[in-house]
Amino acid sequence: MLIFKSVRHGLTAAALALLAAFPAMPAAAQTSPAWDKVPLAIGQTKPDLVLTGTVARKDFQHNLAVPFDVPKDVQRIGIDLQYTRPDGRTVINLGLFDGEHFRGWSGSNKHAVVIDENNATPSFIPGPVGGRRWALDLGISWISEGVTSQYTANIYFFRYGQKPAVSTFSPEPLETGARWYRGDFHMHTGESDGFCASRKGRHIPCPVFRTVLAAEDAHLDFIGMTDHNNVGHYNAMRELQPYFDDVLLIPGREMTTEQGHANIFGTTQYVDYRMGEPAVPDMKTMLRNAVEAGAIVSINHPGSPSDARCRGCGWTAPDDATAYVSAMEAMNAGNLRRQMMGGDAGKDIPRWEEELAKGRRITLLGGSDNHDVQLGRLGVGFPTTLVYAADLSERSILDAVKAGHVAVDMTGALGHGLDLKAQSGTQTGMIGDNFTVPAGRALTLGLHVTGSKGNSLVGFVDGKPDPALSVEKIDGDASDIGLSWKGDGARHWIRFEVRKEAERLMMTNPVYVNFGK
């Protein structure tokens, strides 16, 4: 961490070096609200630069330039400005220049600013960050006679691959406490091919905020917005998140190629989708690049056609690319619409279970793949993905997805739930966990099913229905069901579905048996 002190006309390099040996100015007295803080990366606790200085009445109605250098490899900067108000009336406004261009002015209404290549805090302009000499533009709009105010600007540098400690667009969880959170991992806005009706009824590219409103109407806790190969929606998401502080906005992208579509979540870094280019020769390289940028990868609608009906929609990528995959969308709104017409919603489940049979623990997700928010309950949140997470933050939701703590509700109705607790010997866990079960040892399975009175519970072992793990009729609206399965020492996966006759209503990810690490 470097500490610089500046005055109006700057200091020599020797003076700056001397000041770096002294501690930072004391923190200002202001307390910023939760939304007005810089969302930090994992392990990031201290600023990379601290800029300090003083202003007095002589600076009244002047603008002070406070320069700082940003290393070339920095992808994003965060700035937190605080200042003392001895007279109770001092106001220091914040603007930014990047050495060549004006990058924004928030006046005095914000203390924290984040600027990325493709998104920025409102009042500021996205664009290139690293390798520039930036400058704070401090506008002293009021300070009383005889008063001296101290300011401190903490500057944070974010580099390629760093993951948010909490969320990309929020410095704090939107809700604390572990529970099942409801969400949708696949939807499109006007930043790609999402449409809706305008105020006059015209068919127009749908603004991002309409998707968030649709998520609220569906009673969702989180959504992943996944426009095709695009990063344009992130700027709107950063603006909207403080207002929609009851719906977590997770940055996503649908990497759309001729060998399949895959969502990536948890990074705003651009990831090149142009397979065949020197930097992206194949799908494996593209997905590896996404993971190295800090994302998790989920294959979309793997069984869809890959011809003129749906160009490249089915997953035909080589097997070596799957090493970078954490999840698969085996339940898409298209599957559910097929079920509504009398067909089977489970056509993608065998493709997912092919990967389980290879010993891969890939989490099943649901996604509406919504392109029209006016579909109502046939749109956003249909199906609803349930994630058991430590809190409502991007980090906790995505970590829970990687852990497999996920179920899918094909109805999207409030009150539906399917929880599971498992135990073998001294080992306890839940959906998505792996258990070591020697031959002859029992694995006990306790399920809590809500909102499914009169329906059936079907247990599956290695993709095949197991009558011993099934219940013909669920007795109540909140039922506890105890089951037991005896191990044979081999590798297996056990999952459950709630059904209304042949119709699939809910399903869990597996409990894994002897899958190793």
Side-chain angles (χ1 to χ4, degrees):
M1 178 177 69
L2 297 178
I3 303 169
F4 294 111
K5 184 175 180 180
S6 67
V7 295
R8 183 188 298 178
H9 301 296
L11 294 173
T12 66
L16 290 173
L18 178 62
L19 288 167
F22 291 90
M25 300 293 288
Q30 298 132 310
T31 301
S32 298
W35 60 266
D36 197 15
K37 298 176 182 177
V38 175
L40 300 181
I42 293 174
Q44 194 173 34
T45 58
K46 297 180 180 180
D48 295 274
L49 291 175
V50 178
L51 309 176
T52 67
T54 61
V55 297
R57 179 66 180 184
K58 64 181 176 61
D59 301 306
F60 175 49
Q61 294 184 342
H62 286 82
N63 286 62
L64 308 183
V66 184
F68 61 98
D69 292 318
V70 177
K72 188 174 182 179
D73 65 337
V74 172
Q75 307 287 324
R76 177 189 308 144
I77 56 171
I79 301 165
D80 184 282
L81 174 69
Q82 303 291 337
Y83 55 90
T84 59
R85 306 184 72 194
D87 59 354
R89 296 187 297 273
T90 298
V91 175
I92 301 178
N93 301 294
L94 176 61
L96 277 172
F97 288 81
D98 68 3
E100 297 180 16
H101 304 100
F102 171 70
R103 296 298 289 270
W105 172 267
S106 67
S108 60
N109 70 347
K110 300 179 183 74
H111 297 91
V113 178
V114 175
I115 296 184
D116 198 341
E117 185 167 1
N118 54 55
N119 65 93
T121 300
S123 305
F124 295 88
I125 302 169
V129 172
R132 287 167 166 75
R133 165 153 279 208
W134 287 69
L136 306 180
D137 175 33
L138 304 183
I140 316 306
S141 61
W142 182 261
I143 187 166
S144 302
E145 290 284 1
V147 169
T148 298
S149 174
Q150 298 175 332
Y151 66 82
T152 301
N154 291 325
I155 315 293
Y156 298 89
F157 296 153
F158 302 85
R159 292 175 167 84
Y160 188 82
Q162 285 188 289
K163 300 178 182 179
V166 179
S167 298
T168 299
F169 306 124
S170 175
E172 297 185 341
L174 302 192
E175 182 180 324
T176 58
R179 70 171 177 90
W180 286 97
Y181 291 98
R182 299 164 45 83
D184 188 342
F185 281 105
H186 191 171
M187 59 196 66
H188 298 277
T189 77
E191 296 289 345
S192 61
D193 54 350
F195 284 83
C196 61
S198 71
R199 298 294 293 272
K200 292 184 177 180
R202 294 178 297 172
H203 192 57
I204 54 98
C206 205
V208 173
F209 83 92
R210 287 296 308 278
T211 296
V212 189
L213 288 175
E216 285 199 326
D217 290 343
H219 305 285
L220 301 184
D221 299 304
F222 68 88
I223 53 175
M225 292 189 180
T226 54
D227 282 312
H228 294 282
N229 294 333
N230 204 357
V231 296
H233 49 302
Y234 300 149
N235 202 49
M237 294 172 75
R238 190 173 290 281
E239 178 186 23
L240 293 173
Q241 183 67 93
Y243 178 79
F244 289 99
D245 53 4
D246 55 351
V247 180
L248 176 66
L249 308 183
I250 299 175
R253 203 172 326 160
E254 185 166 18
M255 306 299 290
T256 306
T257 79
E258 291 73 23
Q259 293 183 359
H261 299 185
N263 281 341
I264 64 173
F265 302 105
T267 183
T268 59
Q269 289 293 142
Y270 173 73
V271 178
D272 201 338
Y273 58 90
R274 298 170 298 170
M275 288 198 313
E277 294 292 317
V280 194
D282 49 34
M283 181 70 80
K284 177 181 177 180
T285 303
M286 187 188 78
L287 299 187
R288 183 183 68 235
N289 291 345
V291 171
E292 290 176 351
I296 71 168
V297 177
S298 176
I299 295 171
N300 289 342
H301 38 67
S304 294
S306 292
D307 53 28
R309 293 171 294 169
C310 192
R311 297 175 301 279
C313 292
W315 191 255
T316 60
D319 188 65
D320 62 358
T322 313
Y324 297 96
V325 171
S326 295
M328 183 181 291
E329 183 188 80
M331 194 54 62
N332 178 284
N335 304 74
L336 299 184
R337 291 187 180 93
R338 184 177 297 105
Q339 179 169 270
M340 293 171 67
M341 298 172 66
D344 181 13
K347 75 178 185 66
D348 286 333
I349 292 175
R351 180 65 186 86
W352 166 59
E353 291 190 318
E354 283 180 22
E355 301 303 324
L356 304 186
K358 297 173 186 176
R360 292 170 171 156
R361 291 167 63 181
I362 292 180
T363 301
L364 174 142
L365 296 181
S368 68
D369 201 358
N370 177 258
H371 289 72
D372 184 348
V373 298
Q374 293 168 302
L375 290 172
R377 287 303 303 129
L378 296 181
V380 173
F382 182 72
T384 297
T385 302
L386 310 176
V387 179
Y388 190 84
D391 56 45
L392 186 53
S393 69
E394 180 183 321
R395 180 79 286 115
S396 292
I397 294 292
L398 296 185
D399 285 350
V401 168
K402 291 190 71 173
H405 299 163
V406 176
V408 178
D409 175 9
M410 280 74 101
T411 72
L414 286 175
H416 278 205
L418 183 54
D419 199 357
L420 182 152
K421 298 292 187 292
Q423 180 173 357
S424 178
T426 60
Q427 189 179 4
T428 60
M430 64 174 298
I431 295 168
D433 291 341
N434 178 60
F435 293 80
T436 301
V437 184
R441 178 183 289 178
L443 175 69
T444 60
L445 303 162
L447 290 96
H448 182 69
V449 187
T450 56
S452 294
K453 182 178 180 180
N455 297 319
S456 61
L457 178 73
V458 182
F460 294 81
V461 178
D462 303 337
K464 299 177 181 178
D466 187 335
L469 295 179
S470 301
V471 175
E472 185 173 345
K473 187 175 182 179
I474 298 169
D475 291 333
D477 286 328
S479 296
D480 291 304
I481 301 170
L483 301 167
S484 182
W485 178 85
K486 185 173 290 187
D488 59 6
R491 186 174 69 198
H492 299 282
W493 67 93
I494 301 171
R495 64 176 185 86
F496 293 88
E497 292 185 11
V498 173
R499 293 190 176 189
K500 182 179 181 180
E501 298 178 350
E503 184 180 354
R504 303 173 196 255
L505 303 180
M506 287 190 292
M507 63 184 298
T508 71
N509 270 275
V511 167
Y512 295 95
V513 177
N514 300 327
F515 264 64
K517 295 184 179 180

